[in-house]
Amino acid sequence: MRWRARAASTRAKERANISFFIFIMFFAVFGVIVLTELLFLERPPSNAPRSRYIESLQGWEGRTDNGGDGVEPPQPAHGPLDAVWQPVAGTRFRFYVYSAYVERRTVPSVRVIAATKTRGADPVVCRMWLSDNRTFTLKARVKPIRENWNLKYSATYVLCLLRDTGVKPHETVGASISVAAAVSPNRTPTNLLTVLDTEPKNGIEETLHVCVKPFHFSYSRDEWLMEWFELNRLLGASHFYMYNESLSAPVACLLEHYRKQGLVTLLPWKLPIVSKIEIRTEGQFAAFNDCLYRSMSSAGWLLVIDVDEVILPRRERTLVALLTALRAAYNPPSKAPSAFLFRNAFFYLRWEDDVEAPAPLVTARKTRRWAAPHALKNRSKYALRPRDAVELGNHFLWELAPGASSVGVPSERALLHHYRIACEYGGMQCLTVPSTVDRTAHRWAEELMQRVSAEKEILSRTCPT
């Protein structure tokens, strides 16, 4: 019996020793993996050792490059551009910049619209050339735009910080700015942007501009797009910002027609990051936020919708009148919200036509919708005062300027009409949801038909069929 007890004790000790050995080996292997990541994956390029990299950052932050030490940074490889995706060379991960704007309201800086890795983005610095021939290298803060769906790449802000430079934000208007990898700040810049102003002009309080996400997959619904344009113009919109990844020939001709009238700003959009796999649909959140800052100096109101959506007021004739009335309801005026969210209701195009349709228009024929609109922030869209917004999302605003607020609009005052081609998740089950007939769009049908007919007549002579 004693022998058996001693044997059992020996086996227990052996098992304990084996377990301890396995435990030690696990942490040893884990340590080797972590060390490999640090030494190889995160190591800066061979021409920029770590110690020099840290010294570069400390020495270049907020530094005047042509004063005192006489150091001149290399000149850019080309002239300044706007609204073109340009690469940042020398980074481990893909990094592109698109546009640059003055930021006065939060941290004094130049705000660059960019796209790069969502987490663990490469550190960068900004190099700025002012119109008076002064040049600066600025510390930069890389901030992913929050709505990125946890994909590898994200729309991003690069804040080129002006602190400790003596440069005021308004002095950067018209300057040229470049984003460079922090590990090689002396490298010749591969991108150069023009800094655009964001200061609101006088007399723009009642202007309404529209933002939409990038066109892609050779967007081809030209007849519907004309109806959408003309209805939004009846609702008070005076300018549209659009981004072109790919368009069909008829749609391209239609947009050129409106561009010549001064109604459309059509910007190229060729982002070299794989859509829906590496970044959310065509980097759409970069487009939304570029539109925000691009419109800030000229738009009193900005409407963020898709081209299959229209926001229709129930009482007022125009959206500008609705927004003015909504803000006027607050006393004192300083408490009035800066953004209004509108609930979404699907008008499926597969549902039957309205037998009482007064015109052969989509908005006149398709009047059956979901009986219960979506909750706010679920498929909702919004109108905002650009000067009071910092960061836009798809269905709501992520960040407003200090003191600004947003509220939802009751569906009896206005509703987002979403003219959707297909059911949400495939199949036909969506057509069985409780529905109701909503003929609000008929209020504009007669005038809308006249305008669409007139535009079609003009386009028939200039655009391909």
Side-chain angles (χ1 to χ4, degrees):
M1 295 295 293
R2 292 178 181 175
W3 177 83
R4 291 179 179 175
R6 286 197 298 271
S9 175
T10 301
R11 286 195 297 270
K13 288 181 180 180
E14 289 176 351
R15 286 196 295 269
N17 289 336
I18 292 173
S19 298
F20 180 73
F21 177 75
I22 292 173
F23 179 79
I24 294 298
M25 288 299 297
F26 171 79
F27 277 97
V29 172
F30 180 76
V32 170
I33 293 173
V34 171
L35 187 62
T36 301
E37 290 280 342
L38 292 174
L39 291 178
F40 294 99
L41 296 181
E42 299 295 329
R43 185 171 62 187
S46 57
N47 62 348
R50 185 68 179 172
S51 60
R52 180 180 175 185
Y53 160 60
I54 296 173
E55 291 170 1
S56 296
L57 275 183
Q58 292 173 344
W60 283 57
E61 290 175 8
R63 193 182 73 186
T64 306
D65 296 319
N66 56 355
D69 57 12
V71 176
E72 285 284 353
Q75 292 299 308
H78 56 74
L81 303 172
D82 173 50
V84 176
W85 285 109
Q86 302 178 62
V88 177
T91 56
R92 290 178 301 119
F93 302 103
R94 279 169 287 171
F95 204 132
Y96 298 94
V97 295
Y98 187 75
S99 53
Y101 301 94
V102 180
E103 177 56 82
R104 297 174 171 87
R105 305 155 307 159
T106 56
V107 179
S109 58
V110 173
R111 187 181 293 268
V112 175
I113 305 296
T116 190
K117 197 166 184 289
T118 305
R119 284 173 290 277
D122 294 89
V124 294
V125 295
C126 302
R127 194 171 302 137
M128 182 171 63
W129 291 261
L130 297 180
S131 57
D132 60 5
N133 294 324
R134 286 182 295 163
T135 61
F136 294 84
T137 298
L138 312 173
K139 184 177 181 181
R141 181 186 304 165
V142 179
K143 180 182 179 295
I145 290 173
R146 277 164 275 201
E147 199 160 340
N148 51 57
W149 289 54
N150 291 319
L151 294 174
K152 182 177 180 180
Y153 286 86
S154 173
T156 305
Y157 287 134
V158 177
L159 293 175
C160 302
L161 305 175
L162 297 176
R163 63 169 177 248
D164 302 326
T165 65
V167 178
K168 304 297 182 184
H170 71 271
E171 296 180 89
T172 66
V173 176
S176 298
I177 199 161
S178 177
V179 178
V183 296
S184 52
N186 289 310
R187 190 171 186 158
T188 301
T190 53
N191 60 82
L192 192 63
L193 303 165
T194 300
V195 180
L196 304 180
D197 199 5
T198 54
E199 182 67 15
K201 299 173 184 175
N202 295 326
I204 65 171
E205 293 297 322
E206 300 300 312
T207 58
L208 174 66
H209 293 182
V210 179
C211 284
V212 297
K213 66 185 180 184
F215 289 109
H216 57 285
F217 293 153
S218 297
Y219 184 84
S220 60
R221 297 183 63 199
D222 54 317
E223 288 202 6
W224 159 250
L225 192 58
M226 182 188 297
E227 180 179 338
W228 180 88
F229 263 115
E230 295 305 322
L231 180 52
N232 276 291
R233 292 178 68 188
L234 285 175
L235 292 168
S238 58
H239 198 80
F240 302 82
Y241 299 89
M242 297 180 159
Y243 300 83
N244 175 20
E245 194 281 328
S246 59
L247 296 169
S248 68
V251 170
C253 190
L254 173 66
L255 295 182
E256 177 64 12
H257 166 70
Y258 283 120
R259 189 195 66 78
K260 289 178 178 178
Q261 298 180 50
L263 295 172
V264 171
T265 295
L266 182 62
L267 303 166
W269 195 261
K270 296 290 185 182
L271 177 59
I273 300 176
V274 182
S275 177
K276 297 185 180 181
I277 296 175
E278 295 182 313
I279 196 168
R280 185 60 180 163
T281 312
E282 307 302 333
Q284 66 183 41
F285 301 110
F288 288 148
N289 286 280
D290 174 79
C291 184
L292 166 65
Y293 288 91
R294 192 171 295 274
S295 67
M296 200 169 286
S297 65
S298 58
W301 288 101
L302 188 65
L303 186 64
V304 181
I305 56 174
D306 288 343
V307 290
D308 58 354
E309 300 170 336
V310 182
I311 296 174
L312 295 183
R314 295 297 190 256
R315 303 177 191 173
E316 293 80 7
R317 187 71 177 173
T318 69
L319 285 171
V320 174
L322 169 66
L323 296 169
T324 301
L326 291 173
R327 280 181 58 86
Y330 289 82
N331 192 17
S334 60
K335 298 294 185 181
S338 296
F340 294 97
L341 279 65
F342 299 89
R343 296 176 67 183
N344 172 84
F346 286 131
F347 289 68
Y348 290 120
L349 300 187
R350 291 179 180 270
W351 271 329
E352 75 282 0
D353 285 356
D354 190 337
V355 295
E356 298 183 18
L361 299 165
V362 171
T363 51
R365 294 186 293 107
K366 300 301 179 180
T367 55
R368 182 168 294 281
R369 66 165 172 84
W370 276 28
H374 287 77
L376 288 173
K377 297 189 177 182
N378 179 9
R379 296 282 181 178
S380 56
K381 292 299 172 67
Y382 53 89
L384 69 141
R385 289 164 59 82
R387 68 189 69 182
D388 294 334
V390 176
E391 183 178 330
L392 303 186
N394 194 4
H395 303 296
F396 56 89
L397 296 87
W398 280 103
E399 185 178 348
L400 288 159
S405 63
S406 65
V407 297
V409 177
S411 54
E412 59 267 20
R413 290 299 304 273
L415 192 65
L416 175 68
H417 291 215
H418 194 160
Y419 296 95
R420 195 170 182 86
I421 296 175
C423 291
E424 286 296 275
Y425 305 107
M428 303 289 286
Q429 65 273 23
C430 65
L431 304 184
T432 64
V433 299
S435 63
T436 186
V437 172
D438 182 342
R439 295 191 172 98
T440 302
H442 287 186
R443 295 174 57 200
W444 293 270
E446 182 178 349
E447 187 175 0
L448 178 58
M449 189 66 214
Q450 293 174 358
R451 297 182 70 141
V452 168
S453 297
E455 294 299 320
K456 281 186 176 180
E457 176 63 26
I458 296 171
L459 288 169
S460 66
R461 299 190 294 269
T462 58
C463 287
T465 56

